[in-house]
């Protein structure tokens, strides 16, 4: 998918086809390797520089996805087409696209060859177009690697020898790789409820929890509901979710053996069917994904850490074709007390003019994220077409 909450979730994106294309193919040219690769970190996304089709392009690092390239790159490279496949986004929306075998691309000093990929129209990917990107580096391309993520130093280490990495004071758990080599790890809530969650570096949430697991958490009294609402919080690859009842819940602790992240906040929806950690987990420690030996390492910065992202401005944003509207208004907030409602048209957020959606206003909104500031000035149009302006502050 980042707590606007525009929770912009583009992944996990699973790909299936009638002919069942095997995406777990391709090689790394070097026999032994250990490369340190710097990255840009922008709005909870890791952006990598990839040499492909004769030039350097920006790719989003996305362990919940397969390798994906833009139509522009495919038109230049003319990679052999494997088959048409059905791409399914996190909300279950489906689209038929082509899969190809990418002849080669370079990431750092590593050369990848003959890796299957999907071809996507990046111009239709909503707010992600603001990154000026040309694809995703997905788990199928990395399945012969051990990969370490350090957000503080802003680099990835990619190797095929675990001894090349510094691993100290870590939690280790087994990994299960799914059909596209997506890494699934085991985690506990309150040291009582164990479940499996995908590590999805393309998502900007901390932890997305299915209704099934949340019901178990609730029964054990390991959570409390802080706010409720009705509307939309999620934008996915092929559109927005349907309106649904939502809860903001505080969860006692997410546990990794003797390490814990306490009082985490998640949004629970009737649409939630899967469990996944997003890249925000890497704000609390160094992550190592050993695809080769199927192990996951987490090196926390402190043994016990308090969750950082607990506040809300009181409402979420809902993009429509020509406008931005209020998505969910959370109960027990100033926004609710002032009478804001889901569906009200937003005309202005601070100094951003949203009277009509444009690519420029979308990117200004997405990249500056005004609803994450300490306060925001909101101008909106209500059901009686009256224009009102209010100032809202972050609340717990």
């Amino acid at each position: 998918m980042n707590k606007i909450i525009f929770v912009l979730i583009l992944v996990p994106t699973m790909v299936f086809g009638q002919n069942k294309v095997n995406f777990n193919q391709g090689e790394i040219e070097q026999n032994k390797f250990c490369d340190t690769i710097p990255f840009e970190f922008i709005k909870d996304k890791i952006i990598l520089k990839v040499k492909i089709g004769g030039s350097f392009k920006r790719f989003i690092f996305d362990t919940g996805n397969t390798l994906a390239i833009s139509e522009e790159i495919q038109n230049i490279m003319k990679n052999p087409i494997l088959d048409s496949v059905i791409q399914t986004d996190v909300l279950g929306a489906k689209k038929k696209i082509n899969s190809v075998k990418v002849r080669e691309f370079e990431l750092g000093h590593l050369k990848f060859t003959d890796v299957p990929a999907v071809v996507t129209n990046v111009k239709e990917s909503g707010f992600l177009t603001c990154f000026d990107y040309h694809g995703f580096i997905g788990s199928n391309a990395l399945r012969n690697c051990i990969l370490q993520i350090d957000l503080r130093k802003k680099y990835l280490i990619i190797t095929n020898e675990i001894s090349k990495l510094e691993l100290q004071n870590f939690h280790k758990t087994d990994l299960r790789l799914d059909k596209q080599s997506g890494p699934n790890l085991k985690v506990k809530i309150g040291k009582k409820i164990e479940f499996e969650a995908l590590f999805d570096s393309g998502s900007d949430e901390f932890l997305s929890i299915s209704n099934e697991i949340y019901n178990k958490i609730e029964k054990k009294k390991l959570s409390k509901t802080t706010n409720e609402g009705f509307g939309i919080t999620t934008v996915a690859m092929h559109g927005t979710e349907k309106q649904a009842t939502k809860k903001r819940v505080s969860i006692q602790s997410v546990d990794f053996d003797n390490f814990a992240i306490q009082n985490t906040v998640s949004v629970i929806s009737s649409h939630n069917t899967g469990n996944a950690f997003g890249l925000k987990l890497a704000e609390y420690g160094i992550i190592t994904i050993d695809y080769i030996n199927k192990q996951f390492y987490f090196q926390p910065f402190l043994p016990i850490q308090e969750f950082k992202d607990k506040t809300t401005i009181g409402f979420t944003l809902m993009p429509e074709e020509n406008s931005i509207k209020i998505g969910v208004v959370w109960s027990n907030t100033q926004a609710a007390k002032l009478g804001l409602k889901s569906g009200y048209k937003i005309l202005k957020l601070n100094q951003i003019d949203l009277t009509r959606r444009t690519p420029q206003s979308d990117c200004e909104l997405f990249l500056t994220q005004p609803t994450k500031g300490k306060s925001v000035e909101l101008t909106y149009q209500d059901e009686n077409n009256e224009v009102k302006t209010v100032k809202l502050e972050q609340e717990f």
Side-chain angles (χ1 to χ4, degrees), residues 2 13 27 37 82 91 107 133 140 146 182 186 204 223 233 249 262 264 267 307 321 351 358 383 391:
N2 60 17
T13 301
E27 303 296 336
I37 300 169
L82 297 173
L91 298 175
L107 177 58
Y133 79 112
N140 68 315
I146 303 166
K186 291 181 180 178
D204 31 28
S223 68
T233 57
V249 301
Q262 297 181 331
T264 67
V267 175
F307 189 66
E321 185 176 355
Q351 300 305 311
T358 66
E383 69 266 34
K391 186 174 181 179

Side-chain angles (χ1 to χ4, degrees), residues 261-273:
I261 303 167
Q262 297 181 331
N263 302 310
T264 67
V265 175
S266 290
V267 175
I268 307 298
S269 167
S270 56
H271 292 154
N272 288 17
T273 58

Side-chain angles (χ1 to χ4, degrees), residues 7-189:
V7 180
L8 181 66
I9 305 175
L10 273 177
V11 286
T13 301
M14 308 301 288
V15 181
F16 301 94
Q18 289 182 344
N19 294 331
K20 297 189 176 181
V21 173
N22 179 11
F23 281 84
N24 295 317
Q25 300 180 68
E27 303 296 336
I28 296 174
E29 191 172 87
Q30 293 87 343
N31 291 323
K32 290 188 176 182
F33 53 87
C34 184
D35 199 10
T36 300
I37 300 169
F39 59 75
E40 293 180 76
F41 187 57
I42 306 174
K43 301 307 171 191
D44 302 314
K45 294 284 187 286
I46 288 176
I47 310 296
L48 296 168
K49 187 166 70 171
V50 175
K51 188 175 182 180
I52 187 168
S55 62
F56 286 99
K57 300 293 185 182
R58 293 157 61 85
F59 275 59
I60 296 172
F61 170 60
D62 185 356
T63 58
N65 209 335
T66 61
L67 180 66
I69 63 171
S70 67
E71 291 178 348
E72 178 185 329
I73 288 176
Q74 174 58 13
N75 289 338
I76 292 170
M77 296 184 71
K78 300 189 185 324
N79 296 297
I81 294 175
L82 297 173
D83 196 2
S84 61
V85 296
I86 301 299
Q87 184 183 53
T88 304
D89 68 17
V90 70
L91 298 175
K94 294 177 170 52
K95 185 176 181 180
K96 192 173 184 179
I97 57 178
N98 281 331
S99 63
V100 300
K101 182 174 286 188
V102 178
R103 291 186 179 89
E104 68 175 56
F105 66 91
E106 294 178 27
L107 177 58
H109 295 102
L110 304 179
K111 180 179 284 189
F112 295 75
T113 59
D114 296 328
V115 181
V118 295
V119 179
T120 184
N121 184 349
V122 298
K123 295 178 182 178
E124 292 183 350
S125 58
F127 293 93
L128 287 190
T129 58
C130 304
F131 291 120
D132 187 27
Y133 79 112
H134 280 266
F136 298 98
I137 296 295
S139 280
N140 68 315
L142 302 168
R143 74 191 192 287
N144 295 318
C145 301
I146 303 166
L147 183 140
Q148 189 170 87
I149 306 164
D150 190 329
L151 281 191
R152 287 184 171 180
K153 295 180 179 177
K154 292 187 174 55
Y155 63 62
L156 302 179
I157 299 176
I158 301 180
T159 183
N160 58 355
E161 298 179 84
I162 194 69
S163 61
K164 298 291 186 181
L165 302 176
E166 292 185 15
L167 294 170
Q168 298 177 352
N169 301 319
F170 58 82
H171 162 79
K172 183 171 77 169
T173 185
D174 292 340
L175 271 184
R176 181 186 64 81
L177 302 183
D178 62 29
K179 291 181 179 180
Q180 278 77 46
S181 294
N184 292 265
L185 63 138
K186 291 181 180 178
V187 65
K188 288 185 178 179
I189 298 293

Side-chain angles (χ1 to χ4, degrees), residues 233-268:
T233 57
T234 303
V235 179
M237 180 73 79
H238 304 313
T240 57
E241 67 176 334
K242 294 180 181 179
Q243 289 190 322
T245 300
K246 311 281 184 177
K247 293 180 182 179
R248 287 184 79 247
V249 301
S250 176
I251 295 171
Q252 188 180 97
S253 66
V254 176
D255 298 294
F256 301 90
D257 287 338
N258 296 321
F259 308 118
I261 303 167
Q262 297 181 331
N263 302 310
T264 67
V265 175
S266 290
V267 175
I268 307 298

Side-chain angles (χ1 to χ4, degrees), residues 334-353:
Q334 186 184 9
K337 292 172 185 174
L338 290 171
L340 269 67
K341 294 181 181 178
S342 178
Y344 282 0
K345 183 178 179 180
I346 297 174
L347 303 177
K348 199 173 186 181
L349 275 174
N350 290 343
Q351 300 305 311
I352 304 174
D353 182 1

